[in-house]
Amino acid sequence: MTQDEARSKIIFALDVDSFNAAKHWVATLAGRVGMFKVGKQLFTAYGPDIVRMIENFGAEVFLDLKYHDIPNTVAMASREAARLKVKLFNLHALGGYEMMALTREMMDREFPAGNRAKVLAVTILTSSTEETLRDVGIEHPVSEMVPRLALLAKRAGLDGVVASPQEVPLIRQACGDDFLIVTPGVRPAFAATDDQKRIMTPAEAVAAGADYLVIGRPISAAADPLQAVEAIVDEMATE
Ligand code: C5P
């Protein structure tokens, strides 16, 4: 993989609580990483302005709002996400086939093919254990639910999933190569593990079949964030 290919696979997680802090990171990292992830905290505080700020730097956005509602509501929210010209956004596969299929239909109807936002599904949150699932009446193990929901998302016409690095092989097996896999929870060889438990290095995650990597603290908490990005790019490119 070339350095540019490696760079384009990095999604920086904008896990900050102020507009100015977000802007600082985008100004610093635009052109050096592939995309910026905006989650519920920043979006709830600052709304679409945060997305526009990032796009004004010529950078791309993964809008991580994990929609889960009745099909029509999710399809309508998805239309608004796509109108903001984000590159990726996501929803919960547990919302069901109809919710996902209607969202895909909306994308096809309203946006030119090849130029629309890509829709990802979250299968089972990595914070969930077998006990979490049993409490809500799901008696199947996580390892069975993840590929099952990924396949449901694929059948509904979604573009891919968000998954932990360990789940990548299972999902590739269930869904084939033509399906995006975005993985958080990677840690470069030089970085602290923080609260992430089952980790892989970025190079390992890509070798396992991940298309994009969501990376936050290994970059944001580094003494020299730009140097951290370059070290990650090097690790990935030499693989
Ligand atoms: O700082 P770090 O690299 O751990 O950030 C990872 C990002 O990915 C955070 O925004 C975190 O919320 C998100 N994420 C995760 N694990 C998941 C799903 C999302 O770490 N299973």
Short mmCIF file of all heavy atoms in Angstrom, two decimals, residues 13 15 37 126 184-185 187 196 214-218, ligand 1:
data_model
loop_
_atom_site.label_atom_id
_atom_site.label_comp_id
_atom_site.label_asym_id
_atom_site.label_seq_id
_atom_site.Cartn_x
_atom_site.Cartn_y
_atom_site.Cartn_z
N ALA A 13 -11.01 10.57 14.91
CA ALA A 13 -12.20 10.75 15.75
C ALA A 13 -12.12 12.10 16.46
O ALA A 13 -11.25 12.32 17.30
CB ALA A 13 -12.26 9.62 16.78
N ASP A 15 -13.16 13.58 19.03
CA ASP A 15 -13.78 13.43 20.35
C ASP A 15 -13.40 14.60 21.25
O ASP A 15 -12.64 14.44 22.21
CB ASP A 15 -13.38 12.09 20.98
CG ASP A 15 -13.98 10.91 20.23
OD1 ASP A 15 -15.11 11.05 19.73
OD2 ASP A 15 -13.31 9.86 20.13
N LYS A 37 -14.31 12.06 11.95
CA LYS A 37 -15.55 11.50 12.49
C LYS A 37 -16.18 12.46 13.48
O LYS A 37 -15.56 12.86 14.46
CB LYS A 37 -15.27 10.16 13.18
CG LYS A 37 -16.54 9.52 13.76
CD LYS A 37 -16.29 8.10 14.24
CE LYS A 37 -15.77 8.02 15.65
NZ LYS A 37 -16.78 8.35 16.69
N THR A 126 -19.51 -2.77 20.57
CA THR A 126 -18.46 -3.57 21.23
C THR A 126 -18.53 -3.45 22.74
O THR A 126 -17.88 -4.22 23.45
CB THR A 126 -17.05 -3.19 20.73
OG1 THR A 126 -16.95 -1.77 20.77
CG2 THR A 126 -16.82 -3.67 19.33
N PRO A 184 -12.87 0.87 14.52
CA PRO A 184 -12.22 1.61 15.61
C PRO A 184 -11.46 0.61 16.47
O PRO A 184 -11.46 -0.59 16.19
CB PRO A 184 -13.40 2.20 16.38
CG PRO A 184 -14.57 1.35 16.04
CD PRO A 184 -14.26 0.52 14.84
N GLY A 185 -10.81 1.12 17.52
CA GLY A 185 -10.16 0.21 18.47
C GLY A 185 -8.83 -0.31 17.95
O GLY A 185 -8.39 -1.38 18.35
N ARG A 187 -4.68 0.25 17.63
CA ARG A 187 -3.59 0.93 18.34
C ARG A 187 -2.28 0.67 17.63
O ARG A 187 -1.86 -0.48 17.51
CB ARG A 187 -3.50 0.39 19.78
CG ARG A 187 -4.58 0.95 20.71
CD ARG A 187 -4.40 2.45 20.89
NE ARG A 187 -5.44 3.07 21.68
CZ ARG A 187 -6.57 3.60 21.18
NH1 ARG A 187 -6.83 3.56 19.89
NH2 ARG A 187 -7.45 4.20 21.97
N GLN A 196 -9.18 0.71 25.32
CA GLN A 196 -9.48 -0.26 24.28
C GLN A 196 -8.93 -1.63 24.72
O GLN A 196 -7.81 -1.71 25.21
CB GLN A 196 -8.86 0.15 22.94
CG GLN A 196 -9.39 1.47 22.40
CD GLN A 196 -10.81 1.36 21.84
OE1 GLN A 196 -11.46 0.31 21.96
NE2 GLN A 196 -11.30 2.43 21.24
N VAL A 214 -10.81 4.01 12.36
CA VAL A 214 -11.12 5.19 13.17
C VAL A 214 -10.07 5.29 14.27
O VAL A 214 -9.91 4.37 15.07
CB VAL A 214 -12.52 5.09 13.81
CG1 VAL A 214 -12.77 6.28 14.72
CG2 VAL A 214 -13.60 5.01 12.74
N ILE A 215 -9.33 6.38 14.29
CA ILE A 215 -8.24 6.53 15.25
C ILE A 215 -8.37 7.88 15.97
O ILE A 215 -8.49 8.91 15.31
CB ILE A 215 -6.86 6.44 14.56
CG1 ILE A 215 -6.78 5.14 13.73
CG2 ILE A 215 -5.73 6.49 15.60
CD1 ILE A 215 -5.45 4.96 13.00
N GLY A 216 -8.38 7.84 17.29
CA GLY A 216 -8.49 9.06 18.07
C GLY A 216 -7.24 9.32 18.88
O GLY A 216 -6.29 9.95 18.44
N ARG A 217 -7.23 8.80 20.12
CA ARG A 217 -6.17 9.14 21.08
C ARG A 217 -4.74 8.83 20.65
O ARG A 217 -3.84 9.59 21.03
CB ARG A 217 -6.51 8.52 22.44
CG ARG A 217 -7.68 9.25 23.10
CD ARG A 217 -8.31 8.45 24.20
NE ARG A 217 -8.96 7.25 23.67
CZ ARG A 217 -9.55 6.34 24.42
NH1 ARG A 217 -9.55 6.47 25.74
NH2 ARG A 217 -10.14 5.30 23.85
N PRO A 218 -4.50 7.76 19.88
CA PRO A 218 -3.10 7.56 19.45
C PRO A 218 -2.55 8.78 18.71
O PRO A 218 -1.35 9.01 18.70
CB PRO A 218 -3.18 6.34 18.54
CG PRO A 218 -4.36 5.59 19.04
CD PRO A 218 -5.36 6.65 19.46
O1 C5P B 1 -9.31 7.30 20.92
P1 C5P B 1 -9.70 6.06 20.21
O2 C5P B 1 -8.77 5.73 19.04
O3 C5P B 1 -9.94 4.90 21.11
O4 C5P B 1 -11.09 6.46 19.53
C1 C5P B 1 -11.87 5.53 18.87
C2 C5P B 1 -13.16 6.16 18.42
O5 C5P B 1 -13.98 5.12 17.91
C3 C5P B 1 -13.97 6.83 19.51
O6 C5P B 1 -14.71 7.90 18.88
C4 C5P B 1 -14.90 5.76 19.97
O7 C5P B 1 -16.11 6.25 20.49
C5 C5P B 1 -15.18 5.02 18.68
N1 C5P B 1 -15.58 3.63 18.85
C6 C5P B 1 -14.79 2.69 19.52
N2 C5P B 1 -15.21 1.41 19.63
C7 C5P B 1 -16.35 1.05 19.09
C8 C5P B 1 -17.15 1.96 18.40
C9 C5P B 1 -16.72 3.27 18.32
O8 C5P B 1 -13.72 3.02 20.03
N3 C5P B 1 -16.71 -0.18 19.17
#
